[in-house]
């Protein structure tokens, strides 16, 4: 299967701990997105990478959140000092070059975070 | 302020009949629209999309209609099958940012479709 993969699928942590999630996009896709979905809501945009450059960050991404894509391939999303309000499904998506409004984003299975 | 609205939280239809899911948007800058299907504990799966230069796009049992003047789109599923039971999300995008092409998606809250055998 050559779709978007995310690891881990589930993460349970205690409030105040740090967590890191990984996303591996479809191999030829140079654009990568992170979204967050809470119960009863649609996914909400967090941040976007084109190759290794982080080009946009949502105001939802507080200082406790950091995302990287060091070699333009996989990406990591780290949450420091987790809070109960961080409990959500974290979704990664990728889309191919060359760019243009008609490009479709393909999503991974998500990482379900529960903060106790 | 929700820019993409799916006003029906749920819809129930009989197998073989048509399912019509509706979506309204407020941002006139949106020019590309997508429908995703989502099962519990999985990520959204892309179904079908439409560019603002078209008013209809068809792919097998799925057809999306776009009415730009009304800022309204709909997804038709004909015939509906029990395996279609899932949450359907409408999403829209517009060019944002600088330094390259980037198109974040804005999603509605979803509609739970149940297709009864």
């Amino acid at each position: 299967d050559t779709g978007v993969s995310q690891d881990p699928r589930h993460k349970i942590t205690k409030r105040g701990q740090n967590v890191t999630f990984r996303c591996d996009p479809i191999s030829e896709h140079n654009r990568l997105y992170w979204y967050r979905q809470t119960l009863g809501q649609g996914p909400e945009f967090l941040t976007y990478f084109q190759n290794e450059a982080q080009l946009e960050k949502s105001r939802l991404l507080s200082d406790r959140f950091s995302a990287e894509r060091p070699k333009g391939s996989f990406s990591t999303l780290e949450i420091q000092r987790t809070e109960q309000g961080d409990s959500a499904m974290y979704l990664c998506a990728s889309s191919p070059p060359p760019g243009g409004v008609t490009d479709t984003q393909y999503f991974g299975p998500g990482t379900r975070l529960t903060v106790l | 302020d929700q820019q993409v609205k799916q006003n029906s939280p749920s819809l129930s239809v009989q197998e073989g009949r048509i399912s019509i899911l509706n979506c309204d948007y407020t941002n006139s800058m949106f020019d590309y629209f997508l429908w995703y299907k989502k099962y519990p504990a999985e990520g959204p799966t892309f179904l079908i999309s439409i560019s603002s230069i078209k008013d209809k796009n068809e792919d097998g049992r799925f057809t999306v209609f776009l009415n730009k003047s009304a800022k309204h789109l709909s997804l038709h599923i004909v015939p509906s099958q029990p395996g279609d039971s899932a949450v359907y999300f409408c999403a829209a995008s517009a060019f944002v940012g600088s330094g390259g092409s980037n198109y974040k998606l804005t999603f509605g809250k979803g509609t739970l479709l149940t297709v009864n055998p």
Side-chain angles (χ1 to χ4, degrees):
Chain A
D1 189 300
T2 57
V4 178
S5 62
Q6 293 186 244
D7 183 70
R9 294 290 306 273
H10 304 275
K11 179 69 176 179
I12 300 174
T13 191
K14 293 182 178 179
R15 188 177 56 183
Q17 298 294 305
N18 299 344
V19 295
T20 300
F21 310 141
R22 176 180 171 124
C23 171
D24 287 88
I26 295 171
S27 59
E28 63 270 23
H29 288 186
N30 69 332
R31 293 182 291 165
L32 186 147
Y33 307 78
W34 284 97
Y35 291 82
R36 180 174 69 185
Q37 184 179 16
T38 54
L39 196 62
Q41 303 295 319
E44 296 175 291
F45 171 81
L46 292 178
T47 190
Y48 159 74
F49 290 86
Q50 181 168 290
N51 299 311
E52 66 276 8
Q54 188 174 19
L55 296 185
E56 186 175 353
K57 293 170 60 174
S58 164
R59 65 181 185 278
L60 293 176
L61 218 63
S62 75
D63 291 344
R64 296 184 298 105
F65 288 72
S66 63
E68 294 182 343
R69 196 182 182 197
K71 298 182 179 179
S73 56
F74 73 91
S75 175
T76 58
L77 177 68
E78 180 183 15
I79 309 174
Q80 295 182 329
R81 305 181 303 282
T82 52
E83 302 173 354
Q84 289 183 325
D86 297 331
S87 296
M89 173 77 85
Y90 289 84
L91 294 162
C92 177
S94 69
S95 63
V101 73
T102 58
D103 291 332
T104 296
Q105 294 179 28
Y106 296 90
F107 283 82
T111 294
R112 168 73 63 189
L113 173 66
T114 302
V115 182
L116 302 176
Chain B
D1 177 28
Q2 250 201 317
Q3 298 185 65
V4 177
K5 300 178 183 179
Q6 294 178 257
N7 292 320
S8 298
S10 63
L11 174 68
S12 182
V13 300
Q14 286 298 119
E15 181 178 6
R17 306 295 291 268
I18 185 172
S19 295
I20 300 176
L21 297 103
N22 293 304
C23 178
D24 297 292
Y25 62 96
T26 58
N27 188 342
S28 58
M29 297 300 292
F30 287 147
D31 50 13
Y32 186 54
F33 305 90
L34 309 91
W35 285 94
Y36 287 86
K37 172 181 177 181
K38 188 178 185 301
Y39 294 115
E42 294 185 11
T45 300
F46 170 70
L47 272 178
I48 192 169
S49 62
I50 187 167
S51 166
S52 60
I53 62 173
K54 296 185 176 181
D55 55 17
K56 177 183 175 181
N57 189 27
E58 191 172 357
D59 183 2
R61 297 187 296 114
F62 302 92
T63 302
V64 56
F65 296 91
L66 175 63
N67 182 334
K68 282 188 65 178
S69 60
K71 293 190 176 67
H72 176 84
L73 63 155
S74 60
L75 175 68
H76 293 210
I77 307 173
V78 182
S80 300
Q81 300 174 353
D84 296 329
S85 298
V87 177
Y88 287 77
F89 289 100
C90 171
S93 70
F95 181 84
V96 292
S98 61
S101 56
N102 49 328
Y103 304 99
K104 67 181 181 183
L105 295 178
T106 301
F107 284 83
K109 290 187 177 184
T111 296
L112 173 62
L113 173 66
T114 303
V115 180
N116 302 302

